[in-house]
Amino acid sequence: MKLRLLLGDQLSLSMSSLSDLSTDDLILMCEVKQEATYVKHHKKKIAFVFSAMRHFARELRGRGLNVRYVDYDDPKNSGSMLDEVKMALSLHQFEEVIVTKPGEHRLLRAFQTWPDELAVPLIMRDDDRFLCSTDDFARWADGRKQLRMEYFYREMRRKYSVLVDADGPVGGQWNYDAENRKPPVAGLEVPDNYKAEPDAITQDVIKLVETHFPDHFGDLTPFRFAVTRDQALAALDEFITCRLQLFGDYQDAMVQGEPWMYHSHIALYLNCGLLNPLECILRAEAAHHDGAAPLNAVEGFIRQILGWREYVRGIYWLKMPDYKAANFLEAERALPEFYWTGETSMNCMRQCITETKQNAYAHHIQRLMVLGNFALLAGLDPDEVNDWYLLVYADAYEWVELPNVSGMILFADGGLLASKPYAASGSYINKMSNYCEACSYKPTVKNGPKACPFNYLYWDFIARNDGKLRGNPRMGFMYKSLDRMNEEKRQAIQADSRRFFAAMQANGKV
Ligand code: FAD
Ligand code: DLZ
Ligand code: SF4
């Protein structure tokens, strides 16, 4: 008889910890304070994880399996995963505890200390839900000077025979990104996103979160996430039939009041096990095959899952724990208060933070080119930025959050993940969104109180990091432009940036 520990992001019948399951075994699932508060997760994220866990436990029981489920508000709940395992072990004679390796290094480290604490062996199995194992990624990375996602992705396309035919990549190119940068056009009619009706289980969880996590970030209701595999499949279906066609065209576009755009909104389901990556990829590939979606959209979507998602996980496990401490640009400014309140005159930031607060979601380009770009330009401390991203999004787990934040947005890893910083001025945001129309700053003004802060902060960032970035071949053009600037212009940039940072630090009113 074995005890099988199942974590909140392991909600799949195909978990390695459940293979060779016997009907005598006990599956342990527990809602514990430790996991719910190691960062103060968004209220919607906790409600999502707890409700999905409870629904999955119900499904397991429906299949005749033994489940010990510890509710958060059970008076006997110890609050600690280890103590819950000990408690379960005291109930029967178990031979061993089996668990699939967790998605976060902090928990793996904790699990590694458990054998000293437990009377039976702890067996940790690899998480084989991913399409590239950590060993295969390490083999791919071994000996390479640069770990570029694009080359990894091409190998994954070949390995899984996705969008490839006898002549190579379908359509003749591996990557159609150049077609996926259309600015939004007026009158876009974005389809309504998938919404599940909260059932009694979800309603109980909402009450629980209201009671126990009142000071956590974010709006708890309306809560419309899928919480079962069937619902998650319905959300995937909605994406494939209603949004995929324009996913590519408007992948980088941002529109005021349209938080969901043509994205799929499935990361939270993929990351907790309700969906598996290959089924999403194959659905998109089939849509192209059937003529229902163009290649630029389908390839772009598949690249995010088969490429980026697997690649960032590979980087995480290859480079942890050092990756977390990386701060190549020596950024140390505190995260400003408006990341929590949304109270800033920068309309793009206000929109993206408000939507994050409401939905525990922002789409990629909001995370990257607005919220992340600001964090980079302002030189915000990577630890604080990482904590923020880890707690505000329903899809956030450290294996995927950390490389995106430290590598992709902050360049804290010195260029392991991105060949140059994703820094941009207000003109990028103005081109790719309609946010600037409703902003009290002007994207075309470069200096002075009316100027878009992204404009002068951009050049301040370039000047401030001269010693670290000038040697980067992809930054040569920027440093040539900086060198051509006259002294008066440089001083105006510095003065505006100082005034901005002083106001931001003093009262946050920027
Ligand atoms: P879509 O745009 O529809 O993309 C489809 C799928 O591709 C996503 O569901 C996701 O599984 C995958 N994907 C896309 N981009 C990435 C990427 N860069 N890395 C890994 N997977 C990707 N994604 C998370 O799942 N969790 C996070 O905590 C997270 N933090 C991020 C932080 C920053 C600063 C940035 C720039 C990106 C982050 N991402 C994260 C990646 C990406 O922004 C989200 O996966 C995506 O916005 C989720 O929305 P969606 O499901 O609508 O994605
Ligand atoms: C995110 C989360 C939360 C909020 N709560 C729990 C919980 O109470 N019990 C649990 O088993 N898992 C939870 N999780 C998911 C874990 O944090 C996740 O398994 C680890 O971070 C490893 O990825
Ligand atoms: Fe953002 Fe600048 Fe545009 Fe305002 S003007 S919305 S701050 S990019």
Side-chain angles (χ1 to χ4, degrees):
M1 187 178 190
K2 292 165 184 168
L3 181 65
R4 299 180 188 256
L5 173 63
L6 206 57
L7 306 177
D9 57 352
Q10 301 183 339
L11 309 180
S12 161
L13 290 166
S14 68
M15 290 312 301
S16 56
S17 57
L18 300 184
S19 67
D20 66 10
L21 184 69
S22 122
T23 43
D24 290 346
D25 293 347
L26 181 65
I27 300 170
L28 171 64
M29 299 176 74
C30 44
E31 297 171 358
V32 284
K33 187 165 184 184
Q34 201 179 41
E35 289 308 304
T37 60
Y38 72 93
V39 289
K40 290 176 99 174
H41 304 285
H42 194 300
K43 293 192 191 94
K44 265 196 177 112
K45 179 178 177 184
I46 302 179
F48 167 66
V49 173
F50 284 7
S51 180
M53 284 174 73
R54 289 182 183 198
H55 281 90
F56 192 62
R58 187 178 68 176
E59 185 183 339
L60 292 171
R61 284 186 180 127
R63 289 169 182 263
L65 299 166
N66 300 318
V67 179
R68 175 175 166 80
Y69 192 97
V70 185
D71 283 352
Y72 195 83
D73 48 7
D74 180 335
K76 295 206 193 94
N77 186 330
S78 66
S80 130
M81 193 97 73
L82 174 60
D83 289 337
E84 288 310 319
V85 170
K86 285 181 181 167
M87 171 60 75
L89 285 176
S90 72
L91 301 175
H92 306 277
Q93 280 282 309
F94 291 100
E95 301 152 44
E96 56 192 20
V97 181
I98 301 176
V99 67
T100 295
K101 281 185 189 160
E104 300 197 348
H105 192 266
R106 90 191 143 81
L107 207 52
L108 178 67
R109 235 179 18 235
F111 284 2
Q112 282 162 346
T113 68
W114 284 15
D116 297 339
E117 305 262 355
L118 301 179
V120 296
L122 173 73
I123 312 295
M124 270 201 272
R125 293 181 176 167
D126 285 339
D127 190 343
D128 53 15
R129 285 175 294 172
F130 290 88
L131 299 171
C132 180
S133 70
T134 51
D135 286 348
D136 281 351
F137 190 85
R139 269 191 287 277
W140 173 78
D142 189 34
R144 282 175 193 262
K145 273 209 199 108
Q146 291 189 317
L147 302 181
R148 292 289 164 248
M149 198 291 294
E150 185 61 28
Y151 299 113
F152 169 76
Y153 165 59
R154 289 179 193 179
E155 289 198 15
M156 293 294 282
R157 286 265 297 274
R158 287 195 198 94
K159 180 173 167 189
Y160 284 91
S161 299
V162 170
L163 292 181
V164 288
D165 53 31
D167 304 325
V170 168
Q173 280 169 236
W174 288 104
N175 182 318
Y176 290 84
D177 216 16
E179 294 175 32
N180 290 358
R181 294 180 190 137
K182 291 198 179 61
V185 290
L188 267 185
E189 287 189 20
V190 182
D192 212 8
N193 63 314
Y194 173 83
K195 292 186 182 74
E197 205 47 54
D199 65 3
I201 294 180
T202 300
Q203 282 167 16
D204 278 354
V205 165
I206 289 173
K207 282 193 207 114
L208 183 150
V209 173
E210 233 157 37
T211 309
H212 293 276
F213 307 95
D215 59 337
H216 282 222
F217 176 78
D219 300 351
L220 180 54
T221 54
F223 181 95
R224 293 300 174 90
F225 288 142
V227 289
T228 64
R229 174 157 165 80
D230 283 350
Q231 290 176 344
L233 281 169
L236 172 65
D237 204 49
E238 183 269 350
F239 167 69
I240 300 283
T241 51
C242 306
R243 315 171 98 83
L244 175 60
Q245 295 91 321
L246 290 179
F247 172 86
D249 285 5
Y250 296 116
Q251 196 178 353
D252 288 1
M254 298 174 280
V255 176
Q256 179 104 6
E258 293 288 358
W260 309 101
M261 292 299 290
Y262 293 91
H263 293 268
S264 64
H265 328 135
I266 57 166
L268 75 170
Y269 310 131
L270 278 168
N271 296 350
C272 80
L274 293 184
L275 293 178
N276 86 61
L278 199 55
E279 73 188 339
C280 301
I281 290 167
L282 295 180
R283 282 294 307 274
E285 189 185 31
H288 177 252
H289 190 258
D290 298 346
L295 187 54
N296 69 309
V298 170
E299 186 282 317
F301 176 72
I302 288 176
R303 176 161 20 92
Q304 306 313 309
I305 299 182
L306 189 58
W308 280 110
R309 185 171 186 271
E310 297 291 330
Y311 169 81
V312 299
R313 176 183 183 254
I315 293 277
Y316 178 79
W317 287 110
L318 190 69
K319 296 293 174 186
M320 279 301 276
D322 297 351
Y323 204 82
K324 202 171 163 60
N327 189 0
F328 175 71
L329 298 178
E330 297 175 66
E332 45 191 32
R333 202 179 301 283
L335 190 86
E337 186 58 21
F338 60 71
Y339 270 81
W340 303 112
T341 61
E343 287 169 17
T344 160
S345 302
M346 294 179 283
N347 184 46
C348 53
M349 292 292 284
R350 189 167 63 229
Q351 278 299 307
C352 296
I353 294 164
T354 305
E355 289 171 3
T356 297
K357 211 160 166 249
Q358 288 169 341
N359 303 321
Y361 177 84
H363 62 73
H364 185 67
I365 215 71
Q366 295 177 307
R367 298 187 202 196
L368 179 68
M369 297 310 292
V370 178
L371 300 163
N373 187 23
F374 183 86
L376 172 73
L377 300 186
L380 303 185
D381 180 333
D383 284 341
E384 293 198 27
V385 181
N386 271 302
D387 273 1
W388 187 83
Y389 274 96
L390 187 57
L391 75 85
V392 301
Y393 294 115
D395 53 39
Y397 298 90
E398 198 182 71
W399 64 265
V400 52
E401 172 278 326
L402 183 69
N404 273 296
V405 170
S406 283
M408 200 178 306
I409 67 169
L410 298 180
F411 207 68
D413 63 4
L416 181 80
L417 197 133
S419 54
K420 76 176 184 60
Y422 276 90
S425 69
S427 61
Y428 175 87
I429 297 171
N430 191 28
K431 182 175 152 215
M432 295 310 297
S433 78
N434 61 358
Y435 291 152
C436 303
E437 291 166 19
C439 188
S440 48
Y441 296 112
K442 298 282 159 263
T444 48
V445 180
K446 309 287 182 210
N447 286 104
K450 280 278 145 206
C452 166
F454 284 85
N455 290 341
Y456 49 81
L457 292 181
Y458 175 81
W459 287 110
D460 187 62
F461 167 81
I462 300 288
R464 207 169 62 232
N465 291 294
D466 193 317
K468 304 259 184 190
L469 299 177
R470 186 178 282 271
N472 181 319
R474 296 198 59 205
M475 298 295 284
F477 181 72
M478 295 307 150
Y479 281 97
K480 273 199 190 112
S481 306
L482 181 70
D483 293 343
R484 278 199 299 269
M485 263 179 210
N486 63 33
E487 195 48 32
E488 193 189 348
K489 176 78 181 158
R490 281 168 178 258
Q491 283 189 3
I493 287 166
Q494 204 180 51
D496 282 336
S497 304
R498 281 201 186 134
R499 173 186 46 77
F500 180 89
F501 287 136
M504 184 171 97
Q505 258 140 294
N507 54 21
K509 292 229 170 75
V510 285

